Amino acid sequence: MAGEFESVEKSLEKHLPPKELAEVRRILYGKELKALDFSSEVKNLADKKNFELKGYAFTAEKESLRPARVVRVGLIQNQIILPTTAPVPQQIESLHQRISEIIEVAAQCGVNVLCTQEAWTMPFAFCTREKHPWCEFAEPAETGATTKLMQELAKKHNMVIVSSILERDDEHGEILANTTVVISNTGKYLGKSRKNHIPRVGDFNESTYYMEGNTGHKVFQTQFGKIGINICYGRHHPQNWMMYGVNGAEIVFNPSATVGALSEPMWPIEARNAAIANSYFTCAINRVGTEIFPNEFTSADGKPAHKDFGHFYGSSYVAAPDGSRTPGLSRTRDGLMVAEMDLNLCRQVKDRWGFRMTQRLDMYAESLAKAVQPDYQPDIVTEK
């Protein structure tokens, strides 16, 4: 990881004079967002715990009939702590401890809604295609140890927590699912959302462990707004993003685990495009680090057998419906991104651009109903 490029932002800051840097940021990120001012105590604590802390504010126009709806959202990206060969309980405990201490800092930053990266309680072992010991990390969404811990922290900090785990569904044949658990700021279990799209590309052939989710496009009404969760590979499917908007989401989280050689050109674009197209805020969270496994594995891309599948490049960010976005977190370090957002911006952008009003869902529905039929013929016009 020492050889990895840390971040575009650090490079720009290093090489550009302030005036030119501000203009580059405006072009790259839509506008220069105001940085949040955290106390020296909070900054020192983040430094002591060795993770990056960034914060930015998205504003909206002042309205006559609605008060501002200002919410602070937190995103956590992190490395695994122990080697993948360590006993499973120790690996879980080390990550519980690490995320708990970052959540403590998030609470001091005023975070109202917090989201973890995909399958944060374990190494991202799904590409190895080995069942043991990786299936041992699975736990019930409703009553598992991770959910219980997050319930305690949610209640303690008056914070909604979106926790992404490997689920063991004891009520349905003990199947596995890639699941996010939503916990209310009261500490109560609010519900779960499963991964709708499962990759089968290169190393990422996750259908060895779980299949496409069956929870649809749930949107959770919380005290701090309506939230949806589009897990990892679902970000490549515009219709998946669209349905969370159809169901009224104001913030959609994308907890992910993806490596540089595979997806980095897409990463800065997809969540940002979704925020624009659907008039909501998007939060893209990617894990960080290189995870080495005890046994070699191969993939469907012709590469030699290997014990890791590359560097998880972090770069977590938040995008707004007006097309602006925060800079990303580091490509190499643990981090906490805090975004202050006025949710009134969602409707203001709908009014300005009219995307929902001009969307033509009726036409799409009719066309798609035809497209899934066995006798479908594409509507192509040719010269005669």
Side-chain angles (χ1 to χ4, degrees):
M1 228 170 62
E4 285 289 338
F5 180 66
E6 184 175 356
S7 73
V8 170
E9 288 76 22
K10 284 289 178 76
S11 184
L12 292 173
E13 291 169 3
K14 180 179 179 180
H15 295 290
L16 294 181
K19 188 174 181 180
E20 189 173 342
L21 177 63
E23 187 66 3
V24 168
R25 280 176 168 164
R26 182 190 67 79
I27 295 169
L28 283 180
Y29 303 134
K31 60 185 177 185
E32 184 83 8
L33 298 175
K34 177 185 174 184
L36 296 178
D37 186 20
F38 301 120
S39 69
S40 58
E41 290 81 6
V42 168
K43 294 176 184 176
N44 290 338
L45 186 55
D47 288 340
K48 181 180 178 182
K49 298 297 184 180
N50 192 27
F51 66 87
E52 183 182 28
L53 173 63
K54 284 186 175 182
Y56 300 91
F58 297 94
T59 58
E61 295 293 330
K62 185 177 180 181
E63 299 185 17
S64 300
L65 301 178
R66 290 195 305 174
R69 299 174 59 217
V70 178
V71 173
R72 283 200 176 187
V73 169
L75 318 179
I76 297 177
Q77 67 176 44
N78 63 279
Q79 306 168 56
I80 59 173
I81 309 299
L82 299 180
T84 60
T85 52
V88 169
Q90 292 180 21
Q91 292 191 58
I92 295 172
E93 176 58 31
S94 69
L95 287 163
H96 278 185
Q97 182 175 342
R98 177 57 167 164
I99 299 309
S100 294
E101 63 189 19
I102 298 178
I103 289 175
E104 292 289 339
V105 176
Q108 294 183 48
C109 294
V111 167
N112 306 117
V113 185
L114 180 132
C115 187
T116 66
Q117 66 194 25
E118 182 183 18
W120 71 268
T121 60
M122 62 181 293
F124 204 78
F126 309 127
C127 304
T128 68
R129 294 183 291 281
E130 297 173 332
K131 294 303 181 76
H132 185 79
W134 316 121
C135 292
E136 292 187 57
F137 284 91
E139 57 185 297
E142 297 82 0
T143 59
T146 299
T147 294
K148 289 181 179 178
L149 173 63
M150 294 299 104
Q151 286 179 302
E152 293 173 8
L153 293 173
K155 186 175 182 179
K156 176 182 178 182
H157 299 304
N158 189 33
M159 180 190 296
V160 173
I161 296 181
V162 180
S163 173
S164 183
I165 64 167
L166 178 62
E167 179 192 3
R168 173 78 69 184
D169 188 343
D170 291 333
E171 301 301 320
H172 296 89
E174 299 182 309
I175 64 163
L176 300 179
N178 188 318
T179 300
T180 52
V181 179
V182 181
I183 299 162
S184 170
N185 56 304
T186 63
K188 292 183 179 179
Y189 169 86
L190 192 56
K192 64 186 177 185
S193 185
R194 288 174 171 167
K195 190 171 182 174
N196 284 330
H197 298 274
I198 306 302
R200 297 165 179 84
V201 54
D203 283 334
F204 291 81
N205 191 353
E206 298 170 31
S207 56
T208 302
Y209 299 88
Y210 41 74
M211 299 301 287
E212 284 74 13
N214 58 359
T215 54
H217 300 88
K218 291 183 183 297
V219 169
F220 298 87
Q221 176 69 70
T222 76
Q223 183 177 322
F224 306 108
K226 296 191 284 289
I227 66 173
I229 306 101
N230 180 5
I231 303 175
C232 198
Y233 194 71
R235 73 181 180 275
H236 304 310
H237 296 269
Q239 299 87 351
N240 205 46
W241 289 107
M242 181 184 75
M243 288 307 302
Y244 294 105
V246 169
N247 284 331
E250 297 168 307
I251 308 168
V252 178
F253 295 98
N254 178 230
S256 295
T258 185
V259 293
L262 180 68
S263 65
E264 202 159 9
M266 306 174 185
W267 180 256
I269 302 168
E270 290 170 310
R272 191 178 187 184
N273 280 351
I276 297 166
N278 299 289
S279 303
Y280 52 47
F281 288 90
T282 58
C283 303
I285 312 114
N286 185 29
R287 69 170 55 204
V288 69
T290 302
E291 301 174 0
I292 300 172
F293 295 90
N295 300 317
E296 290 185 334
F297 52 91
T298 58
S299 55
D301 53 13
K303 293 179 181 178
H306 43 283
K307 290 189 175 184
D308 72 83
F309 33 85
H311 175 70
F312 293 105
Y313 53 82
S315 306
S316 303
Y317 70 95
V318 177
D322 63 0
S324 62
R325 57 154 285 186
T326 69
L329 289 175
S330 167
R331 295 181 74 260
T332 59
R333 296 183 62 201
D334 288 8
L336 170 64
M337 172 67 75
V338 179
E340 182 178 282
M341 53 185 70
D342 186 342
L343 298 182
N344 282 353
L345 186 62
C346 297
R347 193 168 80 180
Q348 291 176 11
V349 171
K350 288 177 184 176
D351 287 348
R352 181 179 183 186
W353 283 98
F355 291 149
R356 284 298 302 274
M357 187 163 50
T358 59
Q359 196 170 38
R360 297 305 306 274
L361 292 178
D362 56 338
M363 185 170 65
Y364 308 152
E366 182 179 350
S367 298
L368 290 171
K370 295 176 182 177
V372 298
Q373 298 304 314
D375 60 350
Y376 176 69
Q377 294 295 314
D379 190 4
I380 300 172
V381 178
T382 59
E383 183 176 356
K384 297 182 180 180

